[in-house]
Amino acid sequence: MRVVLAEDLFLLRDGLTRTLREHGCEVVAVDNGPSLRRALLAEGDAAPDVAVVDVRLPPTFTDEGLQAALDARRRRPGLPVLVLSQYVEQLYANELLAGGEGAVGYLLKDRVTNTEQFVDAVRRVAAGGTVMDPQVISRLLARGDARGTIDGLTPRERDVLELMAEGRSNAAIANGLHISESAVAKHTASIFAKLRISASADDNRRVLAVLAYLKR
């Protein structure tokens, strides 16, 4: 798997590069927006399988990384992108999810200190999945409360919804909450009914449906 990694902080970039290479990835590491744009649009054997991108990169230090990634996805539809951010920025999450195609992720930087979790997120996004940081999901859920619909969910349904929106399978949700898969299925059905979302057996479409609802 060929990974384009964009991060301007040397120590973090070096650490993530080493981690990915130790897990069998080929890594192209860059530290600024223009270099990222070139790497994302490379052709042939140099074309990336997935991009791991810091939101803020030189020269602007605003949202240069995110915009470069979004532009690359417009030119190369479906390009998997995992965005890293120091803080929860709902606007960034909304921009990333706006296309509705999947193969996207949004993680806070402190999450990448967990090696297995980080590599798993990269692989899931590269495979077309959707990975969202729990804090981003919590922010979206809080925003949903104002509409008077999310508050109809039980505490357990909220737990299931947060893990579902992170891209977890029913088996993973069951393991994380120490309940049976059949219980997860029942909670999921109830969540979709209360949120008036059409159910889907496809994990990624299910995640995108939930996120689309939460960010409306």
Side-chain angles (χ1 to χ4, degrees), residues 134-210:
Q135 289 191 43
V136 177
I137 300 304
S138 295
R139 182 72 60 85
L140 293 172
L141 282 170
R143 183 168 174 259
D145 281 345
R147 293 195 306 274
T149 303
I150 298 295
D151 58 5
L153 300 180
T154 66
R156 179 58 82 189
E157 287 169 351
R158 281 172 169 267
D159 292 339
V160 171
L161 178 60
E162 290 198 30
L163 292 174
M164 187 193 307
E166 287 178 41
R168 303 296 176 180
S169 66
N170 279 6
I173 294 172
N175 184 60
L177 297 179
H178 305 292
I179 58 179
S180 67
E181 285 191 52
S182 61
V184 173
K186 289 179 181 178
H187 288 310
T188 299
S190 178
I191 289 167
F192 277 111
K194 290 179 180 179
L195 300 185
R196 295 187 290 278
I197 298 174
S198 297
S200 171
D202 182 276
D203 283 343
N204 195 52
R205 283 190 296 173
R206 181 177 70 168
V207 170
L208 291 173
V210 171

Side-chain angles (χ1 to χ4, degrees), residues 19 79 145 193:
T19 294
L79 172 67
D145 281 345

Side-chain angles (χ1 to χ4, degrees), residues 46-151:
D49 295 307
V50 59
V52 179
V53 179
D54 185 2
V55 168
R56 300 183 180 188
L57 291 174
T60 65
F61 286 104
T62 54
D63 60 352
E64 180 83 9
L66 176 65
Q67 294 307 323
L70 292 176
D71 180 61
R73 276 176 67 90
R74 284 190 287 270
R75 299 185 185 205
R76 185 170 285 169
L79 172 67
V81 173
L82 174 62
V83 167
L84 304 179
S85 180
Q86 191 70 38
Y87 310 103
V88 177
E89 293 284 357
Q90 189 169 307
L91 176 61
Y92 296 158
N94 288 347
E95 287 195 63
L96 191 62
L97 293 163
E101 299 96 350
V104 294
Y106 186 124
L107 289 182
L108 295 184
K109 285 189 177 181
D110 61 6
R111 196 75 54 186
V112 304
T113 57
N114 183 317
T115 298
E116 295 303 320
Q117 189 176 54
F118 170 64
V119 173
D120 176 64
V122 173
R123 287 176 172 162
R124 281 197 284 149
V125 169
T130 302
V131 178
M132 298 297 288
D133 193 281
Q135 289 191 43
V136 177
I137 300 304
S138 295
R139 182 72 60 85
L140 293 172
L141 282 170
R143 183 168 174 259
D145 281 345
R147 293 195 306 274
T149 303
I150 298 295
D151 58 5

Side-chain angles (χ1 to χ4, degrees), residues 16-47:
L16 294 180
T17 297
R18 290 173 182 270
T19 294
L20 290 168
R21 285 176 176 163
E22 287 171 359
H23 285 78
C25 299
E26 179 183 354
V27 181
V28 177
V30 299
D31 62 0
N32 61 73
S35 296
L36 172 61
R37 289 176 184 273
R38 289 193 293 272
L40 292 180
L41 296 176
E43 302 289 344
D45 292 339

